[in-house]
Amino acid sequence: MSEKCGWVRERLPLHQDGELEKCDAAEVDDHLAGCPGCRGEVLALTQAWTMLEAALPPAPLHEKLYENPFRDQPDPIMPFSWWMPSMLGFAAAGVMLMLYIHPMFKAPPVPAEAERLLPHIVLRGDTGLDLPPVPPSNRPGLRAAPTFNESESGLRVVPVIGEPPDARRKYES
Amino acid sequence: MDFESLYRKHRGALYQLAVRILGDPDLAADAVQDSFMKAYRSQESFKGDSRPLTWLYRITYNHCLDRLRSRTKGAAGLGDLDPADAEGTRPESAVARDETRRQVHAALSLLSEDDRHLLYLMMEKDLSHRELSLILRCPLPSLRMRVCRARQRLRKELESLLGERS
């Protein structure tokens, strides 16, 4: 047995499994073509493997394995993953964008009449608004009550004619 | 991960490995089911760098080794299991096959446990050497050396057994 035969025989199992590099496989094939001793080795390895497979054939499936083992199992708890915070961030950004662009979420336009009267009116009720100070009562043109359609605007408007005795105290405090 | 379909698809292959290692169909079926439950509960440990089958093989293989270690009696994996007996379909050449089987089992018993298990895994034609190295947690070059050594030892043991008989 030459040195080359030893090199080839070391690699025969890998060659049979198709796991040799292409260049090594070509070298082994070249050697086998001219070496009856190594071809005998190939045959012996193949026979041994065939005997092993014949002696240990696939066993028929056990009846237990036809049961579904996952039937009564609760869903496993998913662990924290790196993508979870980023998904939450994307969701929040989506909601913000929707609120910004959708007309449904925009404030209704202030009627022109209300804008005109705004410095002279006091909103009554628990609006939670930071109300402007009451304008001076001696301003000309405020003696007549302004007309304002409350049902259209949705605002309840009280025209200030003169200065209510308790208004200044209220806003000053 | 759809574990039910994974189970249906791979239970047979994993069962073959478990039967060969444990040598007992009941224990092997339990081992396969336990391995699947283990995989189901720890599915976050599957990184996706290999096929799910490779991952399942590794879990089943380790589980079978644990079972082997916990068993108190005798050498395992080379029991008197004959799948054909279980099927009740013994072929006419049963005598010749029994003889071959005995010789192969005798040769396998002369190998180390590691070599024997490697051969069982190699009988699963679906697995490449790279996947075997993942299952056995062994570097690829070392695994290739182990493959060569195991197959050559099997051949030598069988040859010497056959030589003694003739």
Side-chain angles (χ1 to χ4, degrees):
Chain A
M1 190 174 77
S2 67
E3 199 177 317
K4 186 72 176 176
C5 289
W7 185 86
V8 167
R9 287 181 191 197
E10 272 178 14
R11 285 157 182 77
L12 282 180
L14 298 181
H15 186 253
Q16 287 188 321
D17 289 349
E19 295 275 351
L20 267 187
E21 298 292 328
K22 273 185 185 172
C23 53
D24 284 350
E27 207 168 332
V28 169
D29 284 334
D30 284 349
H31 179 80
L32 287 176
C35 181
C38 288
R39 280 204 301 274
E41 183 73 11
V42 172
L43 191 66
L45 279 171
T46 312
Q47 272 179 342
W49 193 254
T50 310
M51 283 177 77
L52 179 68
E53 287 187 323
L56 299 172
L61 208 58
H62 196 285
E63 59 189 16
K64 262 184 203 168
L65 295 174
Y66 289 103
E67 296 162 11
N68 178 3
F70 308 107
R71 195 173 43 217
D72 301 323
Q73 288 297 315
D75 287 339
I77 299 165
M78 288 303 286
F80 182 81
S81 296
W82 63 269
W83 52 263
M84 285 181 178
S86 50
M87 287 305 287
L88 283 174
F90 279 123
V95 169
M96 298 291 282
L97 188 67
M98 196 179 74
L99 288 175
Y100 181 72
I101 61 172
H102 200 280
M104 194 177 88
F105 299 106
K106 284 186 177 171
V110 180
E113 195 175 10
E115 270 189 359
R116 185 174 61 80
L117 294 169
L118 205 55
H120 311 291
I121 61 176
V122 174
L123 297 176
R124 180 180 282 179
D126 297 326
T127 59
L129 295 174
D130 189 14
L131 294 172
V134 177
S137 60
N138 56 356
R139 192 180 290 177
L142 290 177
R143 291 293 168 190
T147 55
F148 186 74
N149 193 339
E150 291 182 10
S151 60
E152 274 181 18
S153 66
L155 297 171
R156 190 163 182 202
V157 178
V158 175
V160 177
I161 302 172
E163 191 172 350
D166 57 341
R168 185 171 296 280
R169 204 181 318 127
K170 182 181 173 186
Y171 293 117
E172 277 171 358
S173 64
Chain B
M1 206 181 295
D2 184 2
F3 266 81
E4 281 188 37
S5 60
L6 273 180
Y7 178 73
R8 276 195 297 274
K9 195 174 173 188
H10 300 308
R11 63 188 168 188
L14 296 170
Y15 176 64
Q16 302 308 326
L17 176 69
V19 164
R20 283 167 189 151
I21 292 176
L22 296 170
D24 182 311
D26 286 326
L27 282 179
D30 287 342
V32 170
Q33 288 209 329
D34 291 348
S35 302
F36 266 96
M37 292 319 299
K38 215 181 256 187
Y40 181 73
R41 291 193 198 107
S42 60
Q43 52 185 289
E44 75 275 7
S45 70
F46 178 61
K47 303 284 189 299
D49 52 359
S50 63
R51 287 190 297 164
L53 177 63
T54 313
W55 176 60
L56 291 169
Y57 261 118
R58 191 165 70 206
I59 292 171
T60 308
Y61 176 71
N62 289 333
H63 189 74
C64 288
L65 289 192
D66 289 344
R67 283 285 180 97
L68 269 187
R69 286 181 197 125
S70 65
R71 277 166 72 175
T72 50
K73 59 175 182 182
L78 293 170
D80 291 329
L81 173 72
D82 187 347
D85 288 345
E87 273 180 317
T89 54
R90 292 176 72 84
E92 289 175 2
S93 60
V95 177
R97 208 194 55 202
D98 283 352
E99 184 60 26
T100 307
R101 222 184 95 235
R102 262 194 295 274
Q103 284 166 349
V104 171
H105 278 218
L108 284 172
S109 68
L110 295 171
L111 301 182
S112 70
E113 194 178 67
D114 284 350
D115 285 350
R116 211 161 48 226
H117 293 167
L118 177 59
L119 291 174
Y120 294 153
L121 276 166
M122 286 173 65
M123 289 179 76
E124 306 301 325
K125 294 184 179 61
D126 221 13
L127 297 172
S128 66
H129 283 193
R130 191 188 149 274
E131 287 173 318
L132 288 175
S133 75
L134 290 174
I135 293 166
L136 296 171
R137 291 183 189 275
C138 170
L140 189 56
S142 309
L143 179 107
R144 286 183 167 154
M145 283 177 66
R146 281 179 63 184
V147 165
C148 291
R149 191 184 58 199
R151 288 190 59 176
Q152 280 163 350
R153 277 190 190 161
L154 176 71
R155 182 193 65 78
K156 276 181 190 159
E157 299 299 347
L158 274 174
E159 211 170 57
S160 60
L161 283 169
L162 291 168
E164 280 173 18
R165 290 200 178 271
S166 61

